[in-house]
Amino acid sequence: MKYSAPHIITEGSFRYELGTLKGREIQYDFEKILAYLDAKGKLMFGKKFKIYREDREVLYKLSLYFIRDKDRCEQLGIDVDKGLLLSGPVGCGKTSLMKLLKLMVPHRKPYVVIPCRNIVFGFNHIGFKIIGDYGDSQFYCFDDLGVEPEGIYFGKACNVMGEILLSRYELFKNNRIRTHATTNLNANELEQHYGNRVRSRMRELFNLVGFDKHSKDKRQ
């Protein structure tokens, strides 16, 4: 599907212009992006959803990534060709934002947000086939990475997400297939959970964007 004006998004009777078209280039407006995310978030998650002022810095980085503003991303140390690892404390809004942000760029290839624990439960049910299932060209966002249980199939234990991340790394290196993830863990905790080999691959696979560790739980 081609989008002649991908910066204009219609939700019901409302029309959101996230920027202006200058020739063949879209000049996005961050305040308009925030207004759209706030409105769409309320539609998706309920009227209590809101964009918090203290999250603006994180949202700015994420927005630049999704609109692929290469120059500004490079200034912030973000590689638009890599995936995102969005970290932060429980309840800070990571999952909601990853479900939302892809909608502001409908002309880009979307990704599927899937909880890591669901993948492990799938492994426990059908075995190693589940690992191969995620070695495809689909873009994924693995939600709550690092807190999923260990997989067990017919008595054989497996660090399921660790194996999947290794497969996704090969896809990224060979075919530039991006992978995203959210996590509550810091770098040391991720390394303890997956080991140094996977953690090393994650550095190449992801841009790390993090909420402040004192970010409040928005679900309370």
Side-chain angles (χ1 to χ4, degrees):
M1 182 182 294
K2 291 185 177 180
Y3 293 88
S4 58
H7 61 296
I8 300 174
I9 302 177
T10 301
E11 296 287 348
S13 60
F14 292 94
R15 173 183 161 110
Y16 297 92
E17 294 193 26
L18 307 188
T20 55
L21 197 59
K22 301 289 186 182
R24 300 185 65 181
E25 181 179 318
I26 302 170
Q27 294 185 352
Y28 284 92
D29 184 313
F30 182 53
E31 296 302 326
K32 291 180 179 178
I33 288 174
L34 292 183
Y36 168 71
L37 294 176
D38 187 68
K40 184 62 175 177
K42 286 177 168 59
L43 288 173
M44 291 178 65
F45 308 116
K47 293 182 179 179
K48 290 186 177 180
F49 178 89
K50 64 178 289 189
I51 298 295
Y52 290 82
R53 178 166 292 278
E54 59 264 33
D55 296 338
R56 285 175 65 94
E57 183 178 346
V58 171
L59 281 165
Y60 181 66
K61 291 178 181 179
L62 293 172
S63 297
L64 290 177
Y65 173 85
F66 276 93
I67 65 175
R68 294 182 67 83
D69 187 328
K70 293 185 178 182
D71 291 338
R72 293 186 195 175
C73 280
E74 188 174 333
Q75 291 171 5
L76 295 168
I78 295 172
D79 184 341
V80 296
D81 293 320
K82 292 165 63 170
L84 286 172
L85 178 60
L86 184 57
S87 68
V90 172
C92 69
K94 301 182 297 295
T95 306
S96 297
L97 286 180
M98 290 304 290
K99 289 179 177 178
L100 261 180
L101 284 159
K102 63 178 180 175
L103 303 177
M104 66 181 246
V105 283
H107 54 303
R108 307 281 187 209
K109 182 176 179 178
Y111 51 83
V112 177
V113 180
I114 182 165
C116 293
R117 64 195 305 270
N118 289 9
I119 297 173
V120 174
F121 293 156
F123 174 87
N124 294 345
H125 181 62
I126 66 173
F128 289 86
K129 178 182 180 298
I130 202 80
I131 296 174
D133 288 347
Y134 288 95
D136 60 8
S137 60
Q138 173 67 55
F139 287 8
Y140 294 103
C141 176
F142 298 127
D143 193 33
D144 273 342
L145 185 69
V147 295
E148 75 279 355
E150 188 173 49
I152 300 178
Y153 185 67
F154 280 100
K156 186 174 178 64
C158 177
N159 190 325
V160 178
M161 290 309 304
E163 293 299 323
I164 288 175
L165 287 173
L166 290 174
S167 296
R168 299 298 298 182
Y169 170 78
E170 293 301 324
L171 281 170
F172 172 68
K173 294 298 286 185
N174 296 328
N175 302 303
R176 311 311 286 177
I177 303 297
R178 285 191 294 278
T179 302
H180 308 299
T182 71
T183 186
N184 303 330
L185 306 184
N186 61 35
N188 289 334
E189 291 168 330
L190 286 169
E191 186 165 331
Q192 289 175 13
H193 191 82
Y194 295 115
N196 182 61
R197 179 170 174 240
V198 174
R199 175 60 185 145
S200 175
R201 302 297 190 275
M202 289 174 69
R203 291 188 185 96
E204 294 187 58
L205 194 59
F206 297 122
N207 294 288
L208 177 60
V209 178
F211 282 86
D212 186 279
K213 65 180 180 180
H214 300 299
S215 183
K216 63 184 176 184
D217 187 342
K218 300 174 178 72
R219 294 181 294 199
Q220 292 182 349

